[in-house]
PDB file of all heavy atoms in Angstrom:
ATOM      1  N   THR A 278     -21.303   4.240 -23.091  1.00 95.00           N
ATOM      2  CA  THR A 278     -20.793   3.859 -24.469  1.00 95.00           C
ATOM      3  C   THR A 278     -19.837   2.732 -24.560  1.00 95.00           C
ATOM      4  O   THR A 278     -19.629   2.218 -25.645  1.00 95.00           O
ATOM      5  CB  THR A 278     -20.132   5.103 -25.120  1.00 95.00           C
ATOM      6  OG1 THR A 278     -18.996   5.372 -24.353  1.00 95.00           O
ATOM      7  CG2 THR A 278     -21.106   6.307 -25.177  1.00 95.00           C
ATOM      8  N   PHE A 279     -19.245   2.410 -23.370  1.00 95.00           N
ATOM      9  CA  PHE A 279     -18.164   1.394 -23.280  1.00 95.00           C
ATOM     10  C   PHE A 279     -17.099   1.894 -24.369  1.00 95.00           C
ATOM     11  O   PHE A 279     -16.692   3.009 -24.354  1.00 95.00           O
ATOM     12  CB  PHE A 279     -18.639   0.102 -23.523  1.00 95.00           C
ATOM     13  CG  PHE A 279     -19.506  -0.440 -22.453  1.00 95.00           C
ATOM     14  CD1 PHE A 279     -20.858  -0.460 -22.526  1.00 95.00           C
ATOM     15  CD2 PHE A 279     -18.981  -0.961 -21.230  1.00 95.00           C
ATOM     16  CE1 PHE A 279     -21.760  -0.720 -21.457  1.00 95.00           C
ATOM     17  CE2 PHE A 279     -19.820  -1.360 -20.130  1.00 95.00           C
ATOM     18  CZ  PHE A 279     -21.195  -1.202 -20.285  1.00 95.00           C
ATOM     19  N   LEU A 280     -16.656   0.926 -25.203  1.00 96.00           N
ATOM     20  CA  LEU A 280     -15.542   1.224 -26.192  1.00 96.00           C
ATOM     21  C   LEU A 280     -16.011   2.153 -27.343  1.00 96.00           C
ATOM     22  O   LEU A 280     -15.279   2.650 -28.160  1.00 96.00           O
ATOM     23  CB  LEU A 280     -14.834   0.073 -26.619  1.00 96.00           C
ATOM     24  CG  LEU A 280     -13.978  -0.611 -25.621  1.00 96.00           C
ATOM     25  CD1 LEU A 280     -13.501  -2.010 -26.172  1.00 96.00           C
ATOM     26  CD2 LEU A 280     -12.735   0.163 -25.202  1.00 96.00           C
ATOM     27  N   ASN A 281     -17.419   2.127 -27.482  1.00 95.00           N
ATOM     28  CA  ASN A 281     -17.966   2.757 -28.743  1.00 95.00           C
ATOM     29  C   ASN A 281     -18.265   4.250 -28.547  1.00 95.00           C
ATOM     30  O   ASN A 281     -19.332   4.774 -28.849  1.00 95.00           O
ATOM     31  CB  ASN A 281     -19.306   2.050 -29.068  1.00 95.00           C
ATOM     32  CG  ASN A 281     -19.140   0.595 -29.356  1.00 95.00           C
ATOM     33  OD1 ASN A 281     -18.087   0.207 -30.041  1.00 95.00           O
ATOM     34  ND2 ASN A 281     -19.909  -0.260 -28.731  1.00 95.00           N
ATOM     35  N   THR A 282     -17.351   4.949 -27.864  1.00 96.00           N
ATOM     36  CA  THR A 282     -17.453   6.312 -27.729  1.00 96.00           C
ATOM     37  C   THR A 282     -16.946   7.148 -28.905  1.00 96.00           C
ATOM     38  O   THR A 282     -16.286   6.687 -29.787  1.00 96.00           O
ATOM     39  CB  THR A 282     -16.636   6.711 -26.393  1.00 96.00           C
ATOM     40  OG1 THR A 282     -16.973   8.099 -26.133  1.00 96.00           O
ATOM     41  CG2 THR A 282     -15.160   6.643 -26.667  1.00 96.00           C
ATOM     42  N   SER A 283     -17.357   8.476 -28.943  1.00 98.00           N
ATOM     43  CA  SER A 283     -16.882   9.308 -29.996  1.00 98.00           C
ATOM     44  C   SER A 283     -16.836  10.674 -29.590  1.00 98.00           C
ATOM     45  O   SER A 283     -17.535  11.022 -28.542  1.00 98.00           O
ATOM     46  CB  SER A 283     -17.798   9.148 -31.225  1.00 98.00           C
ATOM     47  OG  SER A 283     -18.998   9.677 -30.996  1.00 98.00           O
ATOM     48  N   GLU A 284     -16.234  11.563 -30.350  1.00 98.00           N
ATOM     49  CA  GLU A 284     -16.126  13.039 -30.064  1.00 98.00           C
ATOM     50  C   GLU A 284     -17.545  13.521 -29.990  1.00 98.00           C
ATOM     51  O   GLU A 284     -17.893  14.377 -29.064  1.00 98.00           O
ATOM     52  CB  GLU A 284     -15.352  13.671 -31.117  1.00 98.00           C
ATOM     53  CG  GLU A 284     -15.102  15.189 -31.063  1.00 98.00           C
ATOM     54  CD  GLU A 284     -14.375  15.715 -32.211  1.00 98.00           C
ATOM     55  OE1 GLU A 284     -13.149  15.496 -32.222  1.00 98.00           O
ATOM     56  OE2 GLU A 284     -14.997  16.287 -33.043  1.00 98.00           O
ATOM     57  N   GLU A 285     -18.368  13.204 -31.021  1.00 98.00           N
ATOM     58  CA  GLU A 285     -19.765  13.741 -31.082  1.00 98.00           C
ATOM     59  C   GLU A 285     -20.621  13.263 -29.853  1.00 98.00           C
ATOM     60  O   GLU A 285     -21.382  14.082 -29.332  1.00 98.00           O
ATOM     61  CB  GLU A 285     -20.396  13.237 -32.482  1.00 98.00           C
ATOM     62  CG  GLU A 285     -21.818  13.647 -32.685  1.00 98.00           C
ATOM     63  CD  GLU A 285     -22.321  13.136 -33.895  1.00 98.00           C
ATOM     64  OE1 GLU A 285     -21.669  12.433 -34.617  1.00 98.00           O
ATOM     65  OE2 GLU A 285     -23.558  13.344 -34.150  1.00 98.00           O
ATOM     66  N   GLU A 286     -20.496  12.045 -29.582  1.00 98.00           N
ATOM     67  CA  GLU A 286     -21.206  11.450 -28.458  1.00 98.00           C
ATOM     68  C   GLU A 286     -20.828  12.237 -27.099  1.00 98.00           C
ATOM     69  O   GLU A 286     -21.685  12.536 -26.157  1.00 98.00           O
ATOM     70  CB  GLU A 286     -20.970  10.041 -28.311  1.00 98.00           C
ATOM     71  CG  GLU A 286     -21.862   9.250 -27.269  1.00 98.00           C
ATOM     72  CD  GLU A 286     -23.393   9.285 -27.596  1.00 98.00           C
ATOM     73  OE1 GLU A 286     -23.722   8.997 -28.791  1.00 98.00           O
ATOM     74  OE2 GLU A 286     -24.159   9.601 -26.816  1.00 98.00           O
ATOM     75  N   ILE A 287     -19.536  12.393 -26.895  1.00 98.00           N
ATOM     76  CA  ILE A 287     -19.082  13.063 -25.656  1.00 98.00           C
ATOM     77  C   ILE A 287     -19.650  14.513 -25.586  1.00 98.00           C
ATOM     78  O   ILE A 287     -20.229  14.872 -24.521  1.00 98.00           O
ATOM     79  CB  ILE A 287     -17.550  13.115 -25.627  1.00 98.00           C
ATOM     80  CG1 ILE A 287     -16.911  11.804 -25.561  1.00 98.00           C
ATOM     81  CG2 ILE A 287     -17.016  14.001 -24.493  1.00 98.00           C
ATOM     82  CD1 ILE A 287     -17.197  10.988 -24.270  1.00 98.00           C
ATOM     83  N   LEU A 288     -19.697  15.208 -26.731  1.00 98.00           N
ATOM     84  CA  LEU A 288     -20.169  16.585 -26.621  1.00 98.00           C
ATOM     85  C   LEU A 288     -21.694  16.632 -26.536  1.00 98.00           C
ATOM     86  O   LEU A 288     -22.193  17.494 -25.874  1.00 98.00           O
ATOM     87  CB  LEU A 288     -19.821  17.284 -27.989  1.00 98.00           C
ATOM     88  CG  LEU A 288     -18.240  17.755 -27.960  1.00 98.00           C
ATOM     89  CD1 LEU A 288     -17.978  18.390 -29.322  1.00 98.00           C
ATOM     90  CD2 LEU A 288     -17.970  18.723 -26.834  1.00 98.00           C
ATOM     91  N   ARG A 289     -22.324  15.649 -27.098  1.00 98.00           N
ATOM     92  CA  ARG A 289     -23.835  15.526 -26.906  1.00 98.00           C
ATOM     93  C   ARG A 289     -24.206  15.455 -25.424  1.00 98.00           C
ATOM     94  O   ARG A 289     -25.073  16.184 -24.970  1.00 98.00           O
ATOM     95  CB  ARG A 289     -24.373  14.504 -27.702  1.00 98.00           C
ATOM     96  CG  ARG A 289     -25.896  14.419 -27.790  1.00 98.00           C
ATOM     97  CD  ARG A 289     -26.368  13.445 -28.918  1.00 98.00           C
ATOM     98  NE  ARG A 289     -26.146  12.027 -28.329  1.00 98.00           N
ATOM     99  CZ  ARG A 289     -26.893  11.366 -27.562  1.00 98.00           C
ATOM    100  NH1 ARG A 289     -28.118  11.792 -27.259  1.00 98.00           N
ATOM    101  NH2 ARG A 289     -26.748  10.060 -27.277  1.00 98.00           N
ATOM    102  N   ASN A 290     -23.461  14.668 -24.723  1.00 98.00           N
ATOM    103  CA  ASN A 290     -23.762  14.427 -23.287  1.00 98.00           C
ATOM    104  C   ASN A 290     -23.374  15.604 -22.504  1.00 98.00           C
ATOM    105  O   ASN A 290     -23.967  16.098 -21.526  1.00 98.00           O
ATOM    106  CB  ASN A 290     -23.040  13.127 -22.761  1.00 98.00           C
ATOM    107  CG  ASN A 290     -23.794  11.909 -23.058  1.00 98.00           C
ATOM    108  OD1 ASN A 290     -24.698  11.488 -22.432  1.00 98.00           O
ATOM    109  ND2 ASN A 290     -23.543  11.323 -24.261  1.00 98.00           N
ATOM    110  N   ALA A 291     -22.214  16.201 -22.852  1.00 98.00           N
ATOM    111  CA  ALA A 291     -21.674  17.389 -22.132  1.00 98.00           C
ATOM    112  C   ALA A 291     -22.615  18.536 -22.265  1.00 98.00           C
ATOM    113  O   ALA A 291     -22.886  19.302 -21.294  1.00 98.00           O
ATOM    114  CB  ALA A 291     -20.325  17.757 -22.729  1.00 98.00           C
ATOM    115  N   ARG A 292     -23.184  18.738 -23.368  1.00 98.00           N
ATOM    116  CA  ARG A 292     -24.136  19.852 -23.596  1.00 98.00           C
ATOM    117  C   ARG A 292     -25.427  19.594 -22.768  1.00 98.00           C
ATOM    118  O   ARG A 292     -26.070  20.507 -22.170  1.00 98.00           O
ATOM    119  CB  ARG A 292     -24.530  19.949 -25.065  1.00 98.00           C
ATOM    120  CG  ARG A 292     -23.331  20.453 -25.943  1.00 98.00           C
ATOM    121  CD  ARG A 292     -23.857  20.627 -27.469  1.00 98.00           C
ATOM    122  NE  ARG A 292     -22.683  20.935 -28.274  1.00 98.00           N
ATOM    123  CZ  ARG A 292     -22.187  20.111 -29.157  1.00 98.00           C
ATOM    124  NH1 ARG A 292     -22.879  18.898 -29.370  1.00 98.00           N
ATOM    125  NH2 ARG A 292     -21.190  20.432 -29.861  1.00 98.00           N
ATOM    126  N   PHE A 293     -25.990  18.388 -22.707  1.00 98.00           N
ATOM    127  CA  PHE A 293     -27.043  18.146 -21.895  1.00 98.00           C
ATOM    128  C   PHE A 293     -26.700  18.311 -20.362  1.00 98.00           C
ATOM    129  O   PHE A 293     -27.568  18.849 -19.628  1.00 98.00           O
ATOM    130  CB  PHE A 293     -27.443  16.571 -22.072  1.00 98.00           C
ATOM    131  CG  PHE A 293     -28.646  16.188 -21.198  1.00 98.00           C
ATOM    132  CD1 PHE A 293     -29.931  16.344 -21.706  1.00 98.00           C
ATOM    133  CD2 PHE A 293     -28.540  15.698 -19.960  1.00 98.00           C
ATOM    134  CE1 PHE A 293     -31.035  16.024 -21.015  1.00 98.00           C
ATOM    135  CE2 PHE A 293     -29.602  15.380 -19.203  1.00 98.00           C
ATOM    136  CZ  PHE A 293     -30.846  15.525 -19.578  1.00 98.00           C
ATOM    137  N   ILE A 294     -25.595  17.945 -20.008  1.00 98.00           N
ATOM    138  CA  ILE A 294     -25.165  18.227 -18.555  1.00 98.00           C
ATOM    139  C   ILE A 294     -25.087  19.599 -18.296  1.00 98.00           C
ATOM    140  O   ILE A 294     -25.567  20.060 -17.220  1.00 98.00           O
ATOM    141  CB  ILE A 294     -23.751  17.524 -18.207  1.00 98.00           C
ATOM    142  CG1 ILE A 294     -23.848  15.984 -18.288  1.00 98.00           C
ATOM    143  CG2 ILE A 294     -23.178  18.022 -16.964  1.00 98.00           C
ATOM    144  CD1 ILE A 294     -22.591  15.230 -18.358  1.00 98.00           C
ATOM    145  N   ALA A 295     -24.577  20.446 -19.155  1.00 98.00           N
ATOM    146  CA  ALA A 295     -24.417  21.901 -18.992  1.00 98.00           C
ATOM    147  C   ALA A 295     -25.744  22.511 -18.914  1.00 98.00           C
ATOM    148  O   ALA A 295     -26.002  23.426 -18.117  1.00 98.00           O
ATOM    149  CB  ALA A 295     -23.635  22.554 -20.134  1.00 98.00           C
ATOM    150  N   ASP A 296     -26.710  21.999 -19.714  1.00 98.00           N
ATOM    151  CA  ASP A 296     -28.000  22.609 -19.729  1.00 98.00           C
ATOM    152  C   ASP A 296     -28.947  22.145 -18.511  1.00 98.00           C
ATOM    153  O   ASP A 296     -29.844  22.918 -18.025  1.00 98.00           O
ATOM    154  CB  ASP A 296     -28.846  22.293 -21.062  1.00 98.00           C
ATOM    155  CG  ASP A 296     -28.281  23.007 -22.192  1.00 98.00           C
ATOM    156  OD1 ASP A 296     -27.421  23.968 -22.148  1.00 98.00           O
ATOM    157  OD2 ASP A 296     -28.390  22.411 -23.398  1.00 98.00           O
ATOM    158  N   HIS A 297     -28.785  20.964 -18.107  1.00 98.00           N
ATOM    159  CA  HIS A 297     -29.751  20.427 -17.001  1.00 98.00           C
ATOM    160  C   HIS A 297     -29.176  19.922 -15.692  1.00 98.00           C
ATOM    161  O   HIS A 297     -29.981  19.835 -14.767  1.00 98.00           O
ATOM    162  CB  HIS A 297     -30.458  19.235 -17.722  1.00 98.00           C
ATOM    163  CG  HIS A 297     -31.211  19.525 -18.985  1.00 98.00           C
ATOM    164  ND1 HIS A 297     -32.373  20.246 -19.036  1.00 98.00           N
ATOM    165  CD2 HIS A 297     -30.886  19.268 -20.313  1.00 98.00           C
ATOM    166  CE1 HIS A 297     -32.715  20.357 -20.303  1.00 98.00           C
ATOM    167  NE2 HIS A 297     -31.833  19.682 -21.061  1.00 98.00           N
ATOM    168  N   LEU A 298     -27.891  19.678 -15.688  1.00 97.00           N
ATOM    169  CA  LEU A 298     -27.339  19.113 -14.405  1.00 97.00           C
ATOM    170  C   LEU A 298     -26.235  19.907 -13.789  1.00 97.00           C
ATOM    171  O   LEU A 298     -25.932  19.578 -12.538  1.00 97.00           O
ATOM    172  CB  LEU A 298     -26.732  17.659 -14.750  1.00 97.00           C
ATOM    173  CG  LEU A 298     -27.798  16.705 -15.340  1.00 97.00           C
ATOM    174  CD1 LEU A 298     -27.147  15.323 -15.715  1.00 97.00           C
ATOM    175  CD2 LEU A 298     -28.833  16.374 -14.253  1.00 97.00           C
ATOM    176  N   LYS A 299     -25.741  20.811 -14.488  1.00 97.00           N
ATOM    177  CA  LYS A 299     -24.574  21.588 -13.872  1.00 97.00           C
ATOM    178  C   LYS A 299     -24.967  22.319 -12.666  1.00 97.00           C
ATOM    179  O   LYS A 299     -24.177  22.398 -11.571  1.00 97.00           O
ATOM    180  CB  LYS A 299     -24.019  22.505 -14.880  1.00 97.00           C
ATOM    181  CG  LYS A 299     -22.800  23.350 -14.509  1.00 97.00           C
ATOM    182  CD  LYS A 299     -22.214  24.110 -15.632  1.00 97.00           C
ATOM    183  CE  LYS A 299     -23.034  25.269 -16.130  1.00 97.00           C
ATOM    184  NZ  LYS A 299     -22.457  26.029 -17.141  1.00 97.00           N
ATOM    185  N   ASP A 300     -26.106  22.931 -12.647  1.00 96.00           N
ATOM    186  CA  ASP A 300     -26.564  23.687 -11.474  1.00 96.00           C
ATOM    187  C   ASP A 300     -26.801  22.837 -10.234  1.00 96.00           C
ATOM    188  O   ASP A 300     -26.899  23.343  -9.126  1.00 96.00           O
ATOM    189  CB  ASP A 300     -27.898  24.364 -11.840  1.00 96.00           C
ATOM    190  CG  ASP A 300     -27.732  25.576 -12.704  1.00 96.00           C
ATOM    191  OD1 ASP A 300     -26.563  25.924 -12.977  1.00 96.00           O
ATOM    192  OD2 ASP A 300     -28.686  25.952 -13.413  1.00 96.00           O
ATOM    193  N   TYR A 301     -26.805  21.422 -10.433  1.00 96.00           N
ATOM    194  CA  TYR A 301     -27.073  20.623  -9.342  1.00 96.00           C
ATOM    195  C   TYR A 301     -25.583  20.057  -8.809  1.00 96.00           C
ATOM    196  O   TYR A 301     -25.595  19.219  -7.868  1.00 96.00           O
ATOM    197  CB  TYR A 301     -27.924  19.377  -9.621  1.00 96.00           C
ATOM    198  CG  TYR A 301     -29.231  19.835  -9.881  1.00 96.00           C
ATOM    199  CD1 TYR A 301     -29.706  20.108 -11.341  1.00 96.00           C
ATOM    200  CD2 TYR A 301     -30.241  19.997  -8.914  1.00 96.00           C
ATOM    201  CE1 TYR A 301     -31.028  20.455 -11.504  1.00 96.00           C
ATOM    202  CE2 TYR A 301     -31.420  20.500  -9.197  1.00 96.00           C
ATOM    203  CZ  TYR A 301     -31.952  20.664 -10.495  1.00 96.00           C
ATOM    204  OH  TYR A 301     -33.224  21.087 -10.725  1.00 96.00           O
ATOM    205  N   GLY A 302     -24.566  20.588  -9.346  1.00 96.00           N
ATOM    206  CA  GLY A 302     -23.261  20.126  -8.833  1.00 96.00           C
ATOM    207  C   GLY A 302     -22.505  19.160  -9.778  1.00 96.00           C
ATOM    208  O   GLY A 302     -21.364  18.705  -9.512  1.00 96.00           O
TER     209      GLY A 302
END
Side-chain angles (χ1 to χ4, degrees):
T278 64
F279 295 96
L280 290 171
N281 300 314
T282 189
S283 68
E284 179 183 285
E285 180 182 357
E286 187 65 47
I287 296 295
L288 284 177
R289 190 169 69 87
N290 281 273
R292 293 185 186 108
F293 181 90
I294 290 167
D296 291 341
H297 302 286
L298 299 174
K299 184 172 65 174
D300 291 343
Y301 296 95

